[in-house]
């Protein structure tokens, strides 16, 4: 669920920091002159089905977190109950698994630190929003570049949501 | 003798070609012009940098002001270019908006607009070249569709987008829609879109419906209406049972039978429980009340799950509804009543039309375990047995045990059960 909270786990988020790929072996020319020996990063080209799966997931995360972020109590009082409620709503959508949710809840700041909780939730929200935008841009660019057919490929099937998310991540491996 | 004139010969300036002087002056002017142009271009560049946001958006008024003040003799050109850029940017955004309106406007034809539909529309827009951030900003204007009212607002929004995409002339053009007796009725196209997206003119039963559809719809409507009526009185209905249960539990330990108070509490529940043909005032004793309570359980649940429910409360798999102790029958009744209430709450959130209630409710029942709605009525030992009776998920995927826990959490979050441990 948590794409890039606080940037602390950015290496585990394949969708983070797409704008600044590193050069191969530290060669500063590899980004602008791959034919000189730098390794060209393949352009992510998520299909229509993969993009829809990703957008559904990231939208759902933003949707459940928005009311908490808009609550004036955030940053002043413990919001763990609201977060648990949001988690159960997400589980109900079946767009996120219980192990994933438990993994995030284990990292959620203590009840005595509302400010940290606010920062945590804001980071999660921003990360989901950024990831959604990136996937949409990648999908559009892939169609323009001819890497996908004009209709974007296979249609989305909710029954394959998890497989689609797994296959989507392969486009963003570092 | 030296020529005194040669000693005190006045200093002579070097011979200079007038053309060279002119050339030098020209070069100086060129350098000055180059510097001025360089500084002007740099100032314009700085103006663009200072007025471009992190998201790439340009603050055009700020840009024009800064160019005008610091652009030097290139200010005119700079302002002209800024205007041209701004116009091109506005035209591009207008194109994006049109694409989004056309794409999302198509959702107006759907009976229910789901989150999946919106996600598909976002991907469609991206394929047509609209940037992701632009799509997100646009989609942020979609009303939340979680409730029936929200779904109606979402449909209305989609129709508006469709009309905007077509433009004022197109939506003002007259068109016809079928009336209640299939006669053509002329109205503006924009109004027609709105009416047809809501199922057409609703002045009477639409022609062409089969009898089965009418009966199903009517049956759903009756069932839903009943559920809503009972939902209004939910708290009054369950309160007596919530009082009776701890009292019955205590009686079990003391060995004496239920007294008047427990009898009245169960009777009070039965009075509002909706058991057909029952006149609760005619119940003579607690045994009779227990019998009717058992009837309530049997009518509101399924045979298999009812026995599992009673067994869970008894802590004994051999116990079924028919041979359960009074307190366990009461707990089963309360759990089932709570489950009905949860079912109603979720249907109201679904945004589905009333005539789909029966079909939706039967599917919902299959996916929900009544024991989740009585989890707080169990002892820790009983809860442990229930949890352990459910298989765990495999390979990191959720299984029946995870789904049961989710149902318990959801019931707690809805205020239907108390948290485990209380």
């Amino acid at each position: 669920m948590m794409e890039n909270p606080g940037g602390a786990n950015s290496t585990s988020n394949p969708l983070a920091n797409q704008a600044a790929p590193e050069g191969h072996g530290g060669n500063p020319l590899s980004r602008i002159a791959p034919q000189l020996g730098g390794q060209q990063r393949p352009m992510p080209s998520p299909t229509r089905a993969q993009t829809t799966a990703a957008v559904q997931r990231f939208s759902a995360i933003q949707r459940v977190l928005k009311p908490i972020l808009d609550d004036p109590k955030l940053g002043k009082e413990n919001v763990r109950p609201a977060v648990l409620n949001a988690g159960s709503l997400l589980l109900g959508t079946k767009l996120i698994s219980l192990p994933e949710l438990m993994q995030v809840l284990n990292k959620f700041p203590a009840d005595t630190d509302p400010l940290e909780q606010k920062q945590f939730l804001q980071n999660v929200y921003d990360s989901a929003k950024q990831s959604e935008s990136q996937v949409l841009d990648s999908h559009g660019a892939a169609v323009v570049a001819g890497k996908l057919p004009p209709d974007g490929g296979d249609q989305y099937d909710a029954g394959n949501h998890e497989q689609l998310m797994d296959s989507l991540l392969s486009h963003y491996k570092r | 003798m030296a020529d005194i004139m040669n000693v005190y010969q006045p200093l002579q300036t070097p011979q200079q070609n007038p053309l060279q002087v002119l050339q030098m002056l020209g070069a100086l002017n060129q350098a000055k012009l180059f510097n001025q142009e360089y500084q002007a271009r740099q100032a314009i560049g700085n103006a663009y940098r200072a007025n471009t946001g992190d998201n790439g958006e340009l603050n055009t008024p700020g840009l024009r002001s800064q160019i005008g003040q610091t652009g030097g003799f290139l200010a005119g050109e700079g302002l002209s270019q800024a205007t041209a850029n701004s116009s091109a940017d506005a035209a591009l955004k207008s194109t994006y908006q049109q694409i989004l309106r056309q794409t999302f406007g198509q959702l107006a034809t759907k009976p229910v607009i789901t989150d999946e539909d919106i996600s598909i529309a976002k991907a469609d827009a991206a394929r047509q070249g609209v940037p992701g951030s632009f799509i997100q900003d646009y989609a942020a204007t979609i009303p939340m569709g979680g409730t029936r009212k929200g779904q109606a607002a979402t449909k209305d929004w989609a129709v508006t987008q469709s009309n905007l995409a077509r433009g004022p002339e197109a939506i003002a053009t007259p068109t016809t829609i079928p009336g209640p007796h299939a006669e053509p009725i002329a109205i503006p196209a924009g109004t027609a879109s709105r009416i047809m997206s809501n199922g057409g003119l609703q002045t009477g039963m639409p022609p062409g419906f089969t009898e089965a559809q009418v009966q199903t719809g009517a049956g759903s409507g009756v069932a839903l209406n009943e559920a809503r009526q009972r939902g209004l009185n939910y708290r009054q209905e369950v309160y007596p049972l919530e009082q009776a249960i701890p009292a019955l539990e205590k009686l079990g330990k003391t060995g004496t039978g239920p007294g008047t108070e427990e009898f009245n509490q169960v009777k009070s529940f039965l009075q509002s429980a909706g058991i057909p043909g029952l006149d609760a005032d005619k119940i003579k004793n607690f045994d009779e009340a227990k019998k009717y309570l058992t009837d309530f359980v049997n009518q509101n649940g399924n045979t298999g799950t009812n026995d599992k429910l009673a067994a869970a409360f008894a802590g004994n798999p051999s116990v079924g509804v028919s041979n359960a102790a009074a307190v366990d029958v009461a707990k089963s009744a309360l759990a089932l009543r709570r489950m009905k209430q949860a079912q109603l709450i979720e249907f109201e959130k679904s945004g589905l039309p009333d005539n789909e209630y029966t079909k939706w409710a039967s599917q919902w029942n299959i996916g929900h375990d009544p024991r989740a709605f009585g989890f707080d009525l169990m002892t820790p030992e009983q809860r442990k047995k229930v949890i352990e009776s459910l298989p765990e998920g495999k390979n990191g995927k959720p299984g029946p045990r995870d789904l049961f826990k989710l149902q318990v959490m959801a019931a707690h979050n809805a205020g239907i059960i108390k948290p485990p441990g209380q």
Side-chain angles (χ1 to χ4, degrees), chain B residues 237-248 259-271 286 293:
Chain B
E237 203 175 302
V238 300
Y239 178 75
L241 215 53
E242 287 172 344
Q243 299 302 302
I245 286 167
L248 288 169
T260 312
E261 200 175 333
E262 293 78 37
F263 174 53
N264 287 337
Q265 282 159 348
V266 172
K267 221 169 76 161
S268 178
F269 171 77
L270 289 170
Q271 237 153 5
F286 190 84
L293 205 56

Side-chain angles (χ1 to χ4, degrees), chain B residues 137-188:
Chain B
D137 289 343
Y138 176 81
T141 66
I142 302 175
M144 298 285 282
T147 61
R148 289 163 59 79
K149 208 171 156 185
Q151 179 60 213
T154 305
K155 283 288 289 285
D156 199 58
W157 176 89
V159 170
T160 302
Q161 300 312 301
S162 172
N163 286 343
L164 286 171
R166 287 192 281 168
E169 283 182 18
I171 62 175
T173 306
T175 185
T176 57
I177 61 168
H181 306 292
E183 78 282 19
I185 296 178
I187 53 175

Side-chain angles (χ1 to χ4, degrees), chain B residues 29-30 32 35 49 75 144 152 206 218 248 266 301-302 306 329 396 403:
Chain B
N29 280 339
Q30 284 285 348
K32 192 174 170 187
N35 277 335
R49 188 170 63 197
M144 298 285 282
L248 288 169
V266 172
N302 305 316
N306 287 349
V329 175
L403 294 172

Side-chain angles (χ1 to χ4, degrees), chain A residues 48 55-56 59 63 85 88 98-99 129 132-133 136-137 139-140 150-151 156 162, chain B residues 115-116 119-120 122-123 126-127 131-133 135-136 144 396-397 402 406 409 413:
Chain A
R48 172 164 58 165
V55 168
Q56 272 218 278
S59 299
R63 193 168 52 249
N85 190 44
S88 69
L98 188 59
K129 190 170 179 189
E132 183 190 8
S133 180
L136 285 167
D137 287 339
H139 180 58
D151 68 355
Y156 174 72
E162 219 168 300
Chain B
D115 294 329
E116 185 178 318
S119 299
I120 289 171
K122 284 182 181 178
R127 275 199 303 286
S133 57
I135 296 172
Q136 286 179 316
M144 298 285 282
K397 294 184 189 357
D402 301 307
L406 165 64
M409 272 171 71
N413 291 338

Side-chain angles (χ1 to χ4, degrees), chain B residues 86-334:
Chain B
S86 174
S87 299
D89 186 54
L92 190 59
K93 283 182 179 159
S94 178
T95 303
Y96 290 159
Q97 193 156 56
Q98 183 66 7
I99 291 171
L100 287 166
R101 283 173 175 164
Q102 282 170 343
T103 306
F104 282 82
Q106 291 172 27
L107 297 178
T109 59
K110 293 191 168 282
V112 176
I113 300 173
T114 62
D115 294 329
E116 185 178 318
D117 294 326
I118 292 172
S119 299
I120 289 171
K122 284 182 181 178
D124 288 347
R127 275 199 303 286
Q128 297 175 72
V130 184
S133 57
F134 206 92
I135 296 172
Q136 286 179 316
D137 289 343
Y138 176 81
T141 66
I142 302 175
M144 298 285 282
T147 61
R148 289 163 59 79
K149 208 171 156 185
Q151 179 60 213
T154 305
K155 283 288 289 285
D156 199 58
W157 176 89
V159 170
T160 302
Q161 300 312 301
S162 172
N163 286 343
L164 286 171
R166 287 192 281 168
E169 283 182 18
I171 62 175
T173 306
T175 185
T176 57
I177 61 168
H181 306 292
E183 78 282 19
I185 296 178
I187 53 175
T191 312
S193 302
R194 207 168 292 281
I195 290 172
M196 295 315 289
S197 75
N198 287 316
L201 286 174
Q202 300 293 335
T203 56
M205 197 64 74
F209 263 48
T210 62
E211 264 191 29
Q213 265 182 311
V214 169
Q215 282 171 1
T216 305
S220 263
V222 166
L224 179 58
N225 200 42
E226 269 175 21
R228 281 176 177 153
Q229 286 300 317
R230 290 190 62 197
L232 290 172
N233 299 319
Y234 169 70
R235 284 261 35 104
Q236 293 97 297
E237 203 175 302
V238 300
Y239 178 75
L241 215 53
E242 287 172 344
Q243 299 302 302
I245 286 167
L248 288 169
E249 271 185 319
K250 243 161 83 175
L251 289 172
K253 289 174 193 137
T254 62
T256 53
T260 312
E261 200 175 333
E262 293 78 37
F263 174 53
N264 287 337
Q265 282 159 348
V266 172
K267 221 169 76 161
S268 178
F269 171 77
L270 289 170
Q271 237 153 5
S272 49
I275 299 176
L278 170 69
D279 182 353
D281 287 334
K282 294 198 172 140
I283 300 175
K284 294 187 218 53
N285 53 49
F286 190 84
D287 280 343
E288 257 188 50
K290 184 193 164 195
K291 178 183 158 300
Y292 284 115
L293 205 56
T294 308
D295 284 345
F296 173 85
V297 171
N298 287 330
Q299 282 165 20
N300 283 276
N302 305 316
T303 315
T305 49
N306 287 349
D307 285 340
K308 257 192 195 168
L309 195 52
F313 290 128
N316 181 349
S318 313
V319 168
V321 174
S322 56
N323 61 347
V327 64
D328 295 329
V329 175
K331 287 181 181 179
S332 301
L334 180 57

Side-chain angles (χ1 to χ4, degrees), chain A residues 64 82-93 101 105, chain B residues 406 409-410 413:
Chain A
V64 301
V83 170
L84 288 174
N85 190 44
S88 69
L89 289 172
L90 270 179
L91 281 177
T93 64
L101 177 62
L105 290 175
Chain B
L406 165 64
M409 272 171 71
N413 291 338

